[in-house]
Amino acid sequence: MAESSQIVSGVAERYASSLFELALEQNAAGDVAGALDRFQALLDESEDLRRLVTSPVFGADEQVRAVSAVLDKAEIGGLAANLIKVAASNRRLFAVPGMIRAYRAIYARHRGEVTADVTSAHALTNEQEQELKAALKSVTGKDVAINVAVDPSLLGGLIVKLGSRQIDTSLRTKLSTLKLSLKEVG
């Protein structure tokens, strides 16, 4: 499984890197980032679209037609749409979410930002996101872009991954630690 994950990551990095170079040449890096964010929002909202992207059952032609219709309806065009269509025609549509993450990271580095992956038990409000960004900026000394994911199994708290560092304040982890401590006593 880890080998498969590395393959997807390598594919995603290559596509994202090429897209970023093209976007820079056309002075459209920000526009591409916005379009990719809109497509990611569509993926997050639609189970059917996620199934289309991840299922090996659909052929390349079916994926290209379906994803083209979605992109047209969402008014996503330009380089971002071309990337998604090329990925579909090359049977790499499954790697698009990784491509979007990789593009965000490359774009953030270009702007002098660092990227933090944040997993929370509940969706964060805009105010909470801004407070978290400010706290992380005070630690890193750089602007911080955050990718937020929700995992209800955390019960409460956050897991923040920033570079090679991870801060886990989740209730799930605290309860697991307490459970282990109690086993050692008893």
Side-chain angles (χ1 to χ4, degrees):
M1 186 68 181
E3 185 176 315
S4 171
S5 177
Q6 282 183 318
I7 292 169
V8 171
S9 178
V11 167
E13 285 286 335
R14 286 191 301 275
Y15 274 78
S17 180
S18 297
L19 176 64
F20 186 73
E21 288 176 22
L22 286 171
L24 274 183
E25 286 176 12
Q26 296 182 17
N27 222 7
D31 294 339
V32 170
L36 290 175
D37 287 344
R38 288 198 321 272
F39 187 74
Q40 183 64 53
L42 292 174
L43 278 172
D44 293 342
E45 294 170 7
S46 173
E47 189 174 328
D48 290 336
L49 183 56
R50 282 192 305 273
R51 191 174 313 115
L52 172 73
V53 167
T54 58
S55 177
V57 172
F58 300 104
D61 292 338
E62 292 171 308
Q63 285 182 324
V64 170
R65 279 194 309 274
V67 91
S68 293
V70 168
L71 292 169
D72 290 343
K73 178 92 171 147
E75 297 179 358
I76 297 172
L79 292 173
N82 289 346
L83 169 85
I84 295 165
K85 290 175 188 176
V86 165
S89 66
N90 290 340
R91 302 281 300 147
R92 299 281 189 264
L93 197 55
F94 65 91
V96 166
M99 292 174 199
I100 293 171
R101 279 190 302 276
Y103 185 89
R104 283 179 183 157
I106 293 167
Y107 185 51
R109 274 194 310 270
H110 176 74
R111 293 185 323 232
E113 293 180 344
V114 292
T115 303
D117 293 317
V118 177
T119 307
S120 66
H122 306 286
L124 300 177
T125 65
N126 286 337
E127 184 179 312
Q128 290 170 325
E129 283 189 26
Q130 295 309 317
E131 287 177 21
L132 183 58
K133 283 181 182 181
L136 292 172
K137 182 176 182 174
S138 71
V139 171
T140 63
K142 296 182 178 183
D143 286 332
V144 179
I146 58 174
N147 297 324
V148 180
V150 176
D151 181 359
S153 72
L154 296 180
L155 304 175
L158 298 170
I159 299 174
V160 179
K161 294 177 186 172
L162 185 63
S164 62
R165 293 185 283 183
Q166 176 172 307
I167 304 158
D168 188 343
T169 63
S170 68
L171 191 53
R172 178 181 66 192
T173 300
K174 289 179 181 179
L175 288 172
S176 294
T177 304
L178 180 62
K179 184 178 176 181
L180 287 173
S181 296
L182 291 174
K183 281 185 178 179
E184 289 174 6
V185 172

